[in-house]
Amino acid sequence: MHDYSEFVFDELMRAGWPATDEVAVDGWVARFAGGVTQRANSVLPFAAPADLGAALLRVERLYATRGLPTVFQLGPSAQPAGLDDVLAARGYEFGSPTSIQTAPVGDVRPDPSVRIAESPSDEWLDLWWRVDGRGDQSALDVAAEILCGGPALYATVRDTAGVAAVGRLALVGEWGGVYCMAVRPGVRRRGHGAAVLSGLLAAGRACGVTRAWLQVRAENTAAFSLYRKAGFTETSRYHYRSHRGQEPVQDVHPEP
């Protein structure tokens, strides 16, 4: 583990994958993006509310009026202390345990097969959506709005059949956030993911990025192997709590 403030990672992830709307609720931030991705449609409990019960009712109503389940993203800094137990007792279900990993970004040799752009092309969006997408064109439109909600770099690797792999690096000060790593089915385990990652980090370095973070689902052993080889190590973890009995949020972008 590294000695970084958990609050730092909450803010990095908030900036790297921004919701389309946010509502402050007595120390918490309720995020909304039309149900597209858990992260952009969940509560970040930054500070303890003066009245916990009232805050819970408020956020539950906010999500209900939008036709969404109430979801909390819970890491070690979640406030108040014991919130996870309170939510469990209230009927919120545990899900999506996720590892936050970081690495210094030194001199990275870019792969010449990787093309970097400052916005996602239609081809980039098409492959990412085919691999990770959930929903119709309107959901993709919301996802594209999330992607373009802050500065980022977009990597593409092509082969003779078209786009083989893509990835995104959110630019947040000296930090770069790795998102949307996707490889076309049928050409996996051929080094395309590693090429995309090195290309993103090299391009980020040229933009002043000195440290990188990413989120990866705890059960994704293949991704763990890729990131470990690139020098990433676990810094923290988080999970979600979703209100029991409600439909799960559309997870068009599960953690890589």
Side-chain angles (χ1 to χ4, degrees):
M1 295 290 182
H2 299 275
D3 187 22
Y4 296 130
S5 165
E6 299 296 339
F7 181 80
V8 167
F9 291 113
D10 286 340
E11 286 290 14
L12 286 173
M13 293 185 291
R14 181 184 179 191
W17 194 258
T20 57
D21 185 30
E22 293 185 344
V23 177
V25 181
D26 197 10
W28 294 347
V29 175
R31 298 175 291 179
F32 306 95
V36 178
T37 77
Q38 289 185 90
R39 190 179 307 117
N41 293 272
S42 62
V43 179
L44 273 176
F46 282 126
D51 186 328
L52 178 58
L56 284 168
L57 287 173
R58 174 88 188 282
V59 296
E60 288 171 354
R61 288 168 182 159
L62 284 170
Y63 284 92
T65 59
R66 290 165 171 80
L68 297 171
T70 307
V71 180
F72 280 78
Q73 182 180 321
L74 300 166
S77 63
Q79 294 295 321
L83 177 59
D84 193 41
D85 292 335
V86 171
L87 293 174
R90 198 176 178 88
Y92 283 74
E93 294 184 334
F94 176 93
S96 302
T98 301
S99 171
I100 302 173
Q101 302 194 3
T102 61
V105 179
D107 293 328
V108 183
R109 180 176 297 178
D111 189 307
S113 68
V114 182
R115 295 292 178 265
I116 302 294
E118 294 182 354
S119 61
S121 67
D122 290 342
E123 288 183 318
W124 189 103
L125 286 168
D126 179 65
L127 178 62
W128 172 63
W129 195 250
R130 281 190 285 130
V131 172
D132 279 344
R134 305 289 187 277
D136 56 15
Q137 182 62 45
S138 63
L140 175 57
D141 292 342
V142 174
E145 187 175 354
I146 293 171
L147 289 170
C148 298
L153 301 173
Y154 297 83
T156 303
V157 171
R158 301 179 63 88
D159 63 10
T160 56
V163 177
V166 298
R168 173 180 181 264
L169 187 75
L171 302 176
V172 187
E174 66 175 324
W175 284 90
V178 179
Y179 289 88
C180 305
M181 295 286 289
V183 179
R184 193 178 75 234
V187 296
R188 291 171 179 166
R189 301 186 183 280
R190 298 185 186 179
H192 294 313
V196 165
L197 183 59
S198 65
L200 286 172
L201 295 179
R205 177 73 173 178
C207 293
V209 170
T210 61
R211 291 181 286 182
W213 90 89
L214 56 83
Q215 300 100 259
V216 57
R217 288 282 289 272
E219 72 274 13
N220 193 341
T221 56
F224 269 87
S225 178
L226 169 65
Y227 299 139
R228 183 172 60 252
K229 290 177 182 177
F232 284 86
T233 57
E234 184 169 294
T235 299
S236 186
R237 287 202 171 205
Y238 67 86
H239 62 273
Y240 292 94
R241 286 277 181 188
S242 302
H243 197 283
R244 183 176 300 164
Q246 294 179 298
E247 291 297 319
V249 69
Q250 293 180 44
D251 195 2
V252 303
H253 174 66
E255 282 70 10

